[in-house]
Amino acid sequence: MLNLNGITVRLGGRTILDNASAALPPGSRVGLIGRNGAGKSTLVRVIAGLLEPDSGSADMPRGSRLGYIAQEAPSGTATPFDTVLAADTERAALMIESETCEDPDRLGDVYERLIAIDAYTAPSRAAQILLGLGFDEGMQQQPLDSFSGGWKMRVALAALLFSQPDVLLLDEPSNHLDLEAVMWLEDFLKSYRATIVVVSHERDFLNNIVDHILHLQGGKITLYPGGYDSFERQRAERMAQLAAAKANQDAQRAKLQDYIARNSARASTAKQAQSRQKMLAKMQPIAELANDPSLSFDFPDPQALRPPLITLDLASVGYSEVPILKRLNLRIDPDDRIALLGRNGNGKTTLARLLAAQLTPQEGSMAASGKMKVGYFTQYQVEELDSDDTPLAHMTRVMKGATPAAVRAQLGRFGFSGDRATGQVGKMSGGEKARLALALITRDAPHLLILDEPTNHLDVDAREALVQALNGYTGAVILVSHDRHMVEMTADRLVLVDAGTAKEFDGSLDDYIAFILAGDAKPGEGKAAKKEAKAAARNREAEKQHRKMLRDAEAETARLTAERNAVDAAMFDPKTAAPTLAKLTMTELMKRRADLQAQIEAAEAKWLEASEALELAA
């Protein structure tokens, strides 16, 4: 059992964890979640013994081994294979002793222990873990310094998994992995026989791995049974209860204030008014569910263009005379939603750069609409933001000639309104920087969005907000992501980048995952797989139309709801109303609200119809 006992941590004068307590059952798989900046990594560092709390403790049974990946990636001339083997320090020490020990009795103990810890199968286990994380036999024998930082972190993860600690701490383990490696890791963790605490923002990963959710909010932690979807249902119920309590309290407050205002001046009722004044003062305010600017994603819709946007005809592309991808045949239309699948290193980013016109075909041809604008998001854009500048300065530079109002409006679409537009970028979280990068690349309403791992810095709620924004966007989207939920919710075409080319994958994401987990099987092999793929191909066009209806209904519902909320605000406080609403009488506002409510219900009915049709077509 892992006990978190009254942990309080203050950093820079701010309380990050406030008497946080929870008891994690032995052998449990716990997903640690919370908004960016809530203190998840701080709590993990306390559990790992890397940060001393101001008070409280994280306690484990005596003799328990805890495993955690350090921030620094391994480096040097050692190979990934040797690095992983060395992670089992007991085995490494015993293997050395077995070769040097001259005491027969001690040598017998050493061999007995080596057999007990299954030391002689260790090389095979190490190789299998590295293979699952994307290292083929050749890569396993290359020096660490020949790999990028992301691949080095994979080695660190492999070493941690190989060491088999009693408590396994994983902080965003999928950030450096492709979908295939994520699926292998998920399968590995399902059979891991120890306590796991994993920080992750991928709901499918959490649903398939964990049996508890530890939610961190406001410095406190709450343990929920079940996976992420179960947590969401429980949280929604609590939020609904909170909203109802807030509305009830507001009504009580208004009633008390009205009584005090009417009766304070009368001698006969002054005492009662004073009593109610005390009641009002003692009333503890219930927190309001305020709009969170970190959930703001609003892509400007482009002007319509005739299809196709892009056509590739037997195109080849690469970075030298030898192409990475060959014989590419692909057509992209204005309403396409395409996810690129395939292992890291197979050429997904190369294809994305070709479609973004950052690379040109070495052979064949690429035809693109002359009026097409492309917005291309990569992690490099997040890293290259000027930390000394502000969002307003960044946007002003790229929107040359635009009015200050237009610049502010584009920033406001992504939550950077008011003082948030003039804050220093260097003090922003990773999620805020990602939102700023998205705001910058969509400033001129692109017809095609190419998003290469857009969710790496976003928490679960922000990812869901991005999904909704993409579904409301009317342009084309090409997505590279290891987040299955995002792929499933936004893409209606799958393109597999593999074996030096890119081809349409006639099947669902579930079909592709089945191929991955099958090991040696390749997409398209096997009679059953072919039959399923053909069936999926027949349904794909119908499914695409249903998804479009679903997106249109969601966007319409969101638009109408925003209008209704504006009317509600105007009815409550006419001084803050928009100019068009401020002119209306209360009767006109009530009629306007009733009309909007009827339209919302009609849009929701369309959404339900499309959702049911999509479910039947799947």
Side-chain angles (χ1 to χ4, degrees):
M1 178 178 287
L2 174 61
N3 287 322
L4 309 178
N5 304 310
I7 297 173
T8 297
V9 175
R10 300 181 185 89
L11 298 174
R14 186 167 72 95
T15 300
I16 307 299
L17 300 173
D18 183 12
N19 196 32
S21 299
L24 310 188
S28 58
R29 298 182 176 88
V30 179
L32 174 57
I33 68 170
R35 300 305 311 278
N36 283 342
K40 299 184 298 296
S41 293
T42 299
L43 181 56
V44 167
R45 292 182 66 213
V46 170
I47 297 172
L50 301 176
L51 178 64
E52 186 71 25
D54 292 279
S55 62
S57 62
D59 301 323
M60 296 180 294
R62 183 171 306 208
S64 298
R65 294 182 304 114
L66 184 143
Y68 174 64
I69 297 179
Q71 295 298 317
E72 298 79 19
S75 60
T77 57
T79 66
F81 181 77
D82 291 337
T83 302
V84 172
L85 272 182
D88 189 339
T89 54
E90 181 187 10
R91 176 190 177 276
L94 289 172
M95 291 296 289
I96 294 173
E97 189 176 359
S98 70
E99 297 173 358
T100 59
C101 181
E102 297 180 356
D103 181 349
D105 292 335
R106 173 55 188 163
L107 191 60
D109 292 339
V110 168
Y111 283 128
E112 186 176 336
R113 182 57 182 165
L114 285 170
I115 293 171
I117 64 174
D118 209 14
Y120 297 105
T121 64
S124 175
R125 287 187 283 112
Q128 286 300 314
I129 290 174
L130 283 167
L131 185 64
L133 292 176
F135 292 86
D136 60 29
E137 291 184 14
M139 294 172 69
Q140 291 181 27
Q141 300 304 323
Q142 295 174 15
L144 285 171
D145 284 346
S146 66
F147 295 99
S148 67
W151 283 96
K152 289 179 181 178
M153 291 307 296
R154 290 195 190 202
V155 175
L157 176 59
L160 176 62
L161 298 177
F162 178 76
S163 67
Q164 297 181 310
D166 301 307
V167 177
L168 179 61
L169 295 182
L170 298 172
D171 194 348
E172 291 287 0
S174 63
N175 265 4
H176 301 287
L177 305 181
D178 51 31
L179 178 58
E180 290 77 2
V182 171
M183 294 306 306
W184 177 88
L185 176 62
E186 184 178 293
D187 203 44
F188 181 93
L189 294 178
K190 284 179 182 177
S191 59
Y192 193 78
R193 298 179 180 276
T195 298
I196 299 172
V197 178
V198 56
V199 178
S200 178
H201 296 304
E202 296 186 31
R203 63 171 62 210
D204 283 1
F205 185 79
L206 291 170
N207 278 328
N208 293 330
I209 293 297
V210 307
D211 50 34
H212 287 79
I213 290 290
L214 189 62
H215 185 221
L216 174 56
Q217 183 178 33
K220 306 290 187 181
I221 50 178
T222 305
L223 189 65
Y224 293 82
Y228 184 82
D229 285 349
S230 174
F231 157 75
E232 277 283 25
R233 287 191 293 271
Q234 294 175 71
R235 182 172 68 159
E237 291 171 2
R238 290 182 63 171
M239 291 175 68
Q241 292 169 358
L242 181 65
K246 175 76 166 59
N248 184 49
Q249 186 186 72
D250 287 345
Q252 292 181 31
R253 187 183 298 276
K255 189 174 181 180
L256 287 172
Q257 288 173 335
D258 179 64
Y259 185 92
I260 294 166
R262 287 186 294 104
N263 295 282
S264 293
R266 298 179 186 176
S268 60
T269 57
K271 189 173 182 179
Q272 291 90 329
Q274 289 176 358
S275 176
R276 288 184 176 51
Q277 182 68 54
K278 291 179 181 179
M279 292 171 58
L280 186 63
K282 290 180 179 180
M283 188 178 289
Q284 293 295 319
I286 296 174
E288 186 175 5
L289 301 176
N291 290 327
D292 190 337
S294 68
L295 303 182
S296 295
F297 298 90
D298 182 10
F299 299 108
D301 290 328
Q303 293 183 346
L305 287 181
R306 296 172 64 183
L309 294 179
I310 298 176
T311 303
L312 298 179
D313 185 12
L314 294 175
S316 297
V317 63
Y319 302 92
S320 61
E321 294 181 1
V322 179
I324 293 174
L325 300 173
K326 300 178 182 179
R327 303 183 66 80
L328 298 171
N329 293 300
L330 186 65
R331 169 177 167 144
I332 300 171
D333 288 334
D335 61 346
D336 270 332
R337 303 299 168 102
I338 301 172
L340 303 184
L341 306 177
R343 284 191 175 276
N344 284 354
N346 281 6
K348 298 191 298 292
T349 296
T350 300
L351 177 56
R353 293 191 64 191
L354 173 65
L355 297 173
Q358 292 187 1
L359 296 173
T360 56
Q362 296 171 330
E363 296 177 3
S365 65
M366 171 176 161
S369 173
K371 296 181 180 180
M372 181 182 66
K373 300 173 185 176
V374 178
Y376 183 27
F377 174 90
T378 70
Q379 291 301 313
Y380 297 112
Q381 291 162 327
V382 176
E383 296 164 3
E384 291 172 358
L385 292 170
D386 189 334
S387 60
D388 294 327
D389 249 336
T390 66
L392 183 60
H394 278 88
M395 192 63 72
T396 300
R397 274 198 302 272
V398 298
M399 292 183 66
K400 294 180 180 178
T403 65
V407 172
R408 288 273 189 175
Q410 175 63 9
L411 286 170
R413 286 177 173 271
F414 292 83
F416 296 102
S417 56
D419 293 340
R420 294 186 180 90
T422 55
Q424 194 175 30
V425 169
K427 297 180 180 179
M428 287 163 45
S429 68
E432 289 173 318
K433 292 177 183 177
R435 276 192 292 116
L436 177 56
L438 287 167
L440 292 169
I441 68 163
T442 59
R443 62 189 181 275
D444 55 358
H447 302 88
L448 171 63
L449 275 180
I450 303 176
L451 306 178
D452 194 343
E453 296 293 358
T455 63
N456 274 2
H457 298 288
L458 303 181
D459 57 44
V460 185
D461 291 335
R463 291 181 185 211
E464 188 61 31
L466 178 57
V467 166
Q468 298 302 323
L470 288 174
N471 286 340
Y473 168 66
T474 59
V477 176
I478 294 178
L479 177 66
V480 179
S481 178
H482 60 258
D483 188 322
R484 279 163 287 168
H485 178 72
M486 172 155 284
V487 171
E488 288 176 326
M489 294 300 293
T490 60
D492 48 34
R493 286 177 62 190
L494 302 177
V495 172
L496 177 60
V497 183
D498 186 40
T501 191
K503 294 182 178 179
E504 204 84 31
F505 182 77
D506 288 328
S508 67
L509 187 61
D510 287 339
D511 295 328
Y512 181 65
I513 290 171
F515 286 128
I516 295 171
L517 297 179
D520 295 333
K522 294 182 179 179
E525 289 184 352
K527 293 181 179 179
K530 286 182 179 179
K531 186 176 180 181
E532 289 179 9
K534 288 179 180 179
R538 287 195 299 268
N539 291 336
R540 186 160 57 82
E541 188 58 34
E543 202 171 312
K544 179 179 177 180
Q545 294 301 319
H546 295 321
R547 287 188 184 278
K548 186 176 186 305
M549 290 169 60
L550 200 65
R551 289 196 299 268
D552 291 346
E554 286 176 346
E556 181 72 359
T557 301
R559 182 184 66 79
L560 293 168
T561 300
E563 289 187 26
R564 184 192 63 187
N565 291 344
V567 171
D568 287 342
M571 294 170 66
F572 179 74
D573 187 1
K575 295 179 181 178
T576 63
T580 54
L581 297 177
K583 300 176 182 178
L584 302 180
T585 65
M586 181 59 70
T587 301
E588 290 171 329
L589 286 171
M590 292 175 66
K591 183 179 183 304
R592 180 80 168 266
R593 191 189 191 285
D595 291 341
L596 287 169
Q597 184 62 38
Q599 293 177 57
I600 289 172
E601 290 172 1
E604 288 175 341
K606 288 181 181 178
W607 182 92
L608 184 60
E609 179 184 351
S611 179
E612 290 175 348
L614 185 60
E615 187 175 340
L616 290 173

